[in-house]
Amino acid sequence: MPEITASAVKALRERTGLPMMDCKRALEEAGGDPEKAIEILRKSGQKVMEKRAGRETAFGRIGLYSDPDRTALVELFCESAPVAKAEDFVKLVGELARQLALGPGASTAEELLDQPSSEPGKKLRDLYEETINRIREAFRIGRLLRVEGKCGAYLHHDGSKAAVVQVEGDDLQVAREIAMHVVAMRPTALRREDLDPALVEKEREILTEATRKEGKPENLIPKIVEGRLKDFYSQHCLVDQPFVKDPKKTVGKVAEEAGLKLVRYWYWEVGKE
């Protein structure tokens, strides 16, 4: 058996990011051949994945990629909070989002993993398995979103929340600020007509009963209730909410002044559909 030098072990560790002893054992098993050693390490990692399959993956983060023509979000889960903040994990979810946006698209995690990564000669699946092998936790890809066209997008600093606002218009900076607003205020719907009618009717009934108890004239109650529903709409509807950066204006007014038409929005929070 050829001598396994410290420099060979170090070189393999730099390529794989795995512990020195794992790299040394793999090189010994491979007779000093680094390519065979990498394959041995990959198979070892797959065994780890199989053992950890089924473990709860309650933590994670969202990856975001956005440019003027397309935007993508990817949700990636892991087993523990520290891993969700780890550099390798953050890099991986960013890679997934980038390829989802720039590639042909994907409707499932498997479709996405079979696509190329930014590293020459490697698929996303290779990066995914290599990262699992280094971190030794179970991973799971959750939701995927790809939006064609102009959007404002915002990812919270810890990767736990994100929003995408699809627009017609050119001021994508304001569109991004509206996406930040969505993350902060979590509206229920874009406009009043998008709200669940049952939710609105329930609120109307509550307000009607409260107004009646105040002793208001019966014939005026419907008009009073409709006026009071404005507060309800300002809580639930994005266009009616006071804009977080300028509460004197509604989000709808801010968009209008920026020459934007709000088409649709998405709000994600890790683990909450």
Side-chain angles (χ1 to χ4, degrees), residues 207-208 211-212 216-226:
L207 290 174
T208 297
T211 305
R212 185 172 287 124
K216 303 295 184 183
E218 194 67 26
N219 64 319
L220 295 181
I221 288 177
K223 185 175 181 180
I224 295 170
V225 167
E226 289 308 311

Side-chain angles (χ1 to χ4, degrees), residues 152-199:
Y154 174 73
L155 178 65
H156 196 55
H157 66 86
D158 63 359
S160 65
K161 306 168 190 172
V164 174
V165 179
Q166 188 177 23
V167 300
E168 293 177 4
D170 297 322
D171 197 334
L172 298 187
Q173 177 57 37
V174 170
R176 182 178 183 275
E177 290 174 356
I178 294 173
M180 292 173 66
H181 171 100
V182 170
V183 169
M185 302 308 295
R186 290 175 285 182
T188 306
L190 179 59
R191 297 181 177 86
R192 299 180 187 188
E193 55 266 33
D194 300 322
L195 283 169
D196 182 350
L199 181 66

Side-chain angles (χ1 to χ4, degrees), residues 186-204 229-241 265:
R186 290 175 285 182
T188 306
L190 179 59
R191 297 181 177 86
R192 299 180 187 188
E193 55 266 33
D194 300 322
L195 283 169
D196 182 350
L199 181 66
V200 178
E201 188 55 35
K202 181 178 176 66
E203 183 66 17
R204 184 177 280 111
L229 271 172
K230 290 180 181 179
D231 288 337
F232 173 78
Y233 292 134
S234 71
Q235 293 175 31
H236 291 273
C237 301
L238 177 59
V239 297
D240 291 311
Q241 288 183 330
Y265 78 89

Side-chain angles (χ1 to χ4, degrees), residues 28-174:
E28 289 172 346
E29 187 176 340
D33 185 327
E35 299 306 320
K36 288 183 179 179
I38 287 174
E39 186 59 29
I40 290 168
L41 289 168
R42 180 173 286 117
K43 289 179 179 178
S44 174
Q46 289 171 345
K47 290 178 182 178
V48 171
M49 289 168 59
E50 290 169 4
K51 288 180 181 179
R52 301 189 78 87
R55 286 177 176 257
E56 184 179 11
T57 48
F59 299 90
R61 70 186 299 121
I62 297 164
L64 165 68
Y65 177 92
S66 187
D67 65 32
D69 300 312
R70 62 194 67 79
T71 297
L73 296 179
V74 174
E75 185 178 42
L76 183 62
F77 292 99
C78 58
E79 295 179 42
S80 66
V83 166
K85 301 174 184 177
E87 182 179 349
D88 282 355
F89 192 83
V90 174
K91 181 181 177 182
L92 174 61
V93 73
E95 276 274 336
L96 294 169
R98 177 183 178 279
Q99 177 59 26
L100 180 60
L102 300 180
S107 57
T108 67
E110 291 301 308
E111 284 182 27
L112 182 58
L113 289 174
D114 283 334
Q115 294 180 24
S117 74
S118 62
E119 295 189 23
K122 287 187 177 183
K123 290 185 176 182
L124 286 172
R125 189 179 301 279
D126 297 323
L127 299 187
Y128 184 77
E129 293 178 354
E130 287 171 4
T131 307
I132 290 174
N133 202 7
R134 284 195 294 273
I135 292 178
R136 304 298 173 93
E137 277 199 6
F139 290 0
R140 175 172 61 87
I141 296 174
R143 291 170 288 180
L144 307 175
L145 172 70
R146 179 183 177 183
V147 184
E148 298 284 348
K150 296 178 180 178
C151 294
Y154 174 73
L155 178 65
H156 196 55
H157 66 86
D158 63 359
S160 65
K161 306 168 190 172
V164 174
V165 179
Q166 188 177 23
V167 300
E168 293 177 4
D170 297 322
D171 197 334
L172 298 187
Q173 177 57 37
V174 170

